[in-house]
Amino acid sequence: PPPAPPAPPGGAGPAGPATNGAAADHIQPFPLNSLVEHAAWGVGTVLRYEDDTLTVLFETAGYKTLATPVVIEKQLLTPSPPA
């Protein structure tokens, strides 16, 4: 496996599969402005990451702020191909 990325400033460990602690706020499972799909809310655009949350603008459900670790653990979002 490739070596782990260097630790970010502030002493936190490298972001990885960790879902709690200081490293969790660096997890970005989807690129900004990418399309994702939620089972109930449909297709949305990833707008931003802040701390351990991500904000998605869904076409029908509007803005939703989700806990990034929960999104990963429960697989709440999947990449959506461009329309």
Side-chain angles (χ1 to χ4, degrees):
T19 57
N20 59 4
D25 61 346
H26 298 289
I27 298 171
Q28 296 186 2
F30 305 99
L32 291 176
N33 300 311
S34 65
L35 293 178
V36 294
E37 191 164 353
H38 184 276
W41 299 327
V43 175
T45 303
V46 177
L47 297 181
R48 71 178 179 160
Y49 288 92
E50 185 174 333
D51 297 324
D52 65 347
T53 65
L54 70 138
T55 301
V56 180
L57 174 58
F58 289 97
E59 294 172 0
T60 57
Y63 291 94
K64 299 289 183 182
T65 300
L66 306 165
T68 306
V70 175
V71 168
I72 294 167
E73 179 183 334
K74 305 285 187 184
Q75 299 180 356
L76 298 178
L77 300 175
T78 57
S80 179

